[in-house]
Amino acid sequence: MSLAARLLLAFGLVAIIATAFVGLTLREASREIIEGGFAERIDAAHAGVRQQLAWEADALRDLLPPLCRHDTFVDKAHVELERAKGDPDAMDTGSRIALGRLVPSQAKALRLDELSLVAGDGSVLGAEDAARIGARDKRLAELIQAPGGAPRLRPAKAGGEPSLEVHCALSRHGVTIGLVGARRIGPVLARIGEAYHVRLTAAREGELAPRSSEAEVVRVLHFAEIPGLDVVASVPRDPLRQALARLDRAIALTGATVLAIAVAMAVVLARSLSRPLVALARETREVMSGAPRRVEGRGGREIADLAAAFNATIDELAAMRKRLAATERIAARREVARQIAHEIKNPLAPIRAAVETLRRLRQRDDPAFDDYFAEATSTVLNEVHRIANIVTEFTQFARLPPPNLTPIDLVAVARGVITLHAAPASGEATSGAGSTSGTGATSGAPSPRVELVADPIPQVSADRDQLIQVLTNLVQNGLDAASAIRRDPRVSVTIGPLPNDRVRIVVRDNGPGVAEEMVPRLFEPYATSKEKGTGLGLAIAQRIVFEHGGEITYRKAKKGGAVFEIWLPIAGPPLLEKPLGDTTVRPRPPDAPRS
């Protein structure tokens, strides 16, 4: 991910996270404040209702007793009922009509919602509701027999509403008559609720108390002054939802604005930072693909420090390469001297034995001298020839020239090597070959088969002859190893691109693979399992690959056989003014940092 993309992502995430954090905190705080406002309104309504009901109770307590004690209206009704000997049905009709008309006006004067003139047996002699006159109510009969006092709650009737009820009674000469008045609680609750914007309703007896929901806040209020009275206070949450919706829109708008500002700042900052970094990276790539030279850091102190550190590293690497080259040359000379001494000592033993035997036979004038002479001289000549081959191989290894880098078509080079090795052995008939693979066949034993599978790759800066030598060695080794155990030896060469401007060459065979004990010494000089091999082929191949800035590795195939894999940089070896032709480089893993 580029620096600009990272800055955009970082600034965008910071803006989003900050806006979300502040917005959620503000939203939650606003919710709590509004919910607290609901609770405060309910508490205020509770206090208002308590105060109003206390006032109503006090007013009702002293409202009716004076009427029963000395009001002419009640006295007249008692006289009429006394004349009828306490039987309401025996009262004069005109008197009953007159009483029925007086009660509504009296209720209106006392501001009572209900007022009933009741006989001792519960008969309603007069009421503000004419339909109730003449009815007999047992509850009212029991009520006027009880002593008067503070108002009490009268539960709601079917379709009605609860009220505060008071009464008084007049009993003389065995005849009782009473007044029962009531004032509804609903108007009081409506008036208080409207003042505090709270809906107040009296709870009905036997109904479950409602609970708060997403739609409204609900609380049940209790009043110790009026036993049995429960009032349900509810506040709709619509204002809360509307306030939160407005707040959400404001937060979203603010977040979008902050995000736009953050992105603009990130773009400006990314351009100011990435421009010098891109220039520095371009100069660094030029250094890596060419001769070491100093780079310039422009844009800020950090970029200048980075360029200075890079220049110091390049200088140190160049010095280290020179010291390493000198050290490795000395080590290589010692190793070559040791290997030559070891390899030449082996053929000297039979030469010495043959010469000493000839001398002994000659001194004794042994008749077997002439017979042994031909055998001894043949042994000496063979061993001398062997010594000459050893010297030739070591000379070739020591005098390997530095790579002559030119742009080459690696696929064409590999196809030429495969064409040579795909031809059948002499005396065998051929059956054909493909354009990207070489095949050979005989009417008897099958001939070796070499295949090439190549993906499109760019031209590679390399030494054509030296890469031919590497491929020839690997292909021939694969054919030799497979031919030793199979009638159908096969070698496959695969070429394709790799990331970081590299190419890969994979050589597989269907032979037995390399013995486990040989793997650690596979690329060392004179490490070989062949009877007539010198062990320098893979050492030379490794040296060529390393001097091209690449790597070569070995692994065993899953189904048997050897797999050699080569990585080469497309631009050629980095950080070399000229290749180090006399430097021995040890193997390293493919992902190791390059010098």
Side-chain angles (χ1 to χ4, degrees), residues 289-313:
S289 61
R293 60 181 177 82
R294 301 180 66 82
V295 298
E296 296 183 7
R298 307 178 184 87
R301 185 179 65 184
E302 292 80 4
I303 304 299
D305 291 344
L306 176 61
F310 179 81
N311 292 331
T313 303

Side-chain angles (χ1 to χ4, degrees), residues 296-375:
E296 296 183 7
R298 307 178 184 87
R301 185 179 65 184
E302 292 80 4
I303 304 299
D305 291 344
L306 176 61
F310 179 81
N311 292 331
T313 303
I314 291 295
D315 296 340
E316 182 64 22
L317 284 176
M320 287 179 62
R321 288 185 68 85
K322 293 179 181 178
R323 293 194 297 269
L324 181 62
T327 302
E328 290 187 344
R329 280 196 295 270
I330 295 173
R333 289 166 184 163
R334 290 177 179 175
E335 180 66 18
V336 169
R338 186 186 68 80
Q339 292 284 357
I340 290 177
H342 174 75
E343 295 297 331
I344 292 181
K345 188 182 294 184
N346 292 333
L348 286 179
I351 292 175
R352 180 177 180 178
V355 172
E356 289 179 349
T357 301
L358 287 176
R359 285 172 59 86
R360 286 197 303 271
L361 294 176
R362 183 64 177 172
Q363 289 175 358
R364 297 197 305 261
D365 292 330
D366 193 320
F369 177 82
D370 293 334
D371 296 334
Y372 184 71
F373 181 80
E375 180 182 352

Side-chain angles (χ1 to χ4, degrees), residues 218-543:
V218 179
R219 191 196 302 175
V220 178
L221 308 180
H222 305 283
F223 297 91
E225 298 83 359
I226 304 177
L229 176 62
D230 291 334
V231 175
V232 177
S234 61
V235 179
R237 293 181 184 267
D238 291 338
L240 173 62
R241 288 196 294 269
Q242 293 171 2
L244 292 181
R246 290 195 300 270
L247 184 60
D248 289 342
R249 289 193 294 270
I251 291 173
L253 180 60
T254 303
T257 304
V258 172
L259 181 61
I261 295 174
V263 169
M265 292 177 61
V267 170
V268 173
L269 187 59
R271 287 181 178 178
S272 63
L273 289 178
S274 62
R275 189 177 294 111
L277 289 176
V278 169
L280 182 61
R282 183 179 62 254
E283 293 184 5
T284 303
R285 285 194 296 269
E286 293 175 357
V287 170
M288 296 298 293
S289 61
R293 60 181 177 82
R294 301 180 66 82
V295 298
E296 296 183 7
R298 307 178 184 87
R301 185 179 65 184
E302 292 80 4
I303 304 299
D305 291 344
L306 176 61
F310 179 81
N311 292 331
T313 303
I314 291 295
D315 296 340
E316 182 64 22
L317 284 176
M320 287 179 62
R321 288 185 68 85
K322 293 179 181 178
R323 293 194 297 269
L324 181 62
T327 302
E328 290 187 344
R329 280 196 295 270
I330 295 173
R333 289 166 184 163
R334 290 177 179 175
E335 180 66 18
V336 169
R338 186 186 68 80
Q339 292 284 357
I340 290 177
H342 174 75
E343 295 297 331
I344 292 181
K345 188 182 294 184
N346 292 333
L348 286 179
I351 292 175
R352 180 177 180 178
V355 172
E356 289 179 349
T357 301
L358 287 176
R359 285 172 59 86
R360 286 197 303 271
L361 294 176
R362 183 64 177 172
Q363 289 175 358
R364 297 197 305 261
D365 292 330
D366 193 320
F369 177 82
D370 293 334
D371 296 334
Y372 184 71
F373 181 80
E375 180 182 352
T377 54
S378 176
T379 299
V380 171
L381 290 176
N382 287 338
E383 295 302 324
V384 169
H385 181 67
R386 181 180 171 189
I387 292 173
N389 287 338
I390 292 172
V391 173
T392 301
E393 293 287 345
F394 267 113
T395 302
Q396 181 182 7
F397 179 69
R399 293 182 178 179
L400 185 66
N404 181 23
L405 303 178
T406 57
I408 64 170
D409 185 347
L410 187 58
V411 176
V413 171
R415 186 178 291 113
V417 173
I418 288 172
T419 301
L420 292 176
H421 289 82
S426 63
E428 295 178 347
T430 62
S431 61
S435 60
T436 59
S437 65
T439 59
T442 65
S443 58
S447 62
R449 180 184 178 189
V450 184
E451 295 179 333
L452 172 64
V453 179
D455 294 330
I457 60 171
Q459 288 192 330
V460 179
S461 179
D463 188 309
R464 179 186 183 88
D465 294 335
Q466 289 187 1
L467 289 189
I468 290 175
Q469 184 177 359
V470 172
L471 290 173
T472 299
N473 183 281
L474 295 179
V475 171
Q476 188 61 54
N477 283 352
L479 291 175
D480 292 344
S483 299
I485 64 168
R486 305 178 68 100
R487 290 176 54 86
D488 58 339
R490 294 180 181 176
V491 174
S492 172
V493 180
T494 304
I495 299 177
L498 279 178
N500 300 326
D501 295 328
R502 296 183 300 170
V503 296
R504 178 176 62 180
I505 306 172
V506 181
V507 181
R508 296 182 177 85
D509 63 59
N510 61 346
V514 179
E516 292 295 332
E517 63 273 11
M518 282 295 299
V519 173
R521 303 176 54 244
L522 187 59
F523 295 102
E524 293 182 4
Y526 275 88
T528 182
S529 58
K530 295 181 180 180
E531 295 182 0
K532 298 182 180 180
T534 62
L536 289 176
L538 288 179
I540 292 174
Q542 185 194 52
R543 180 171 176 179

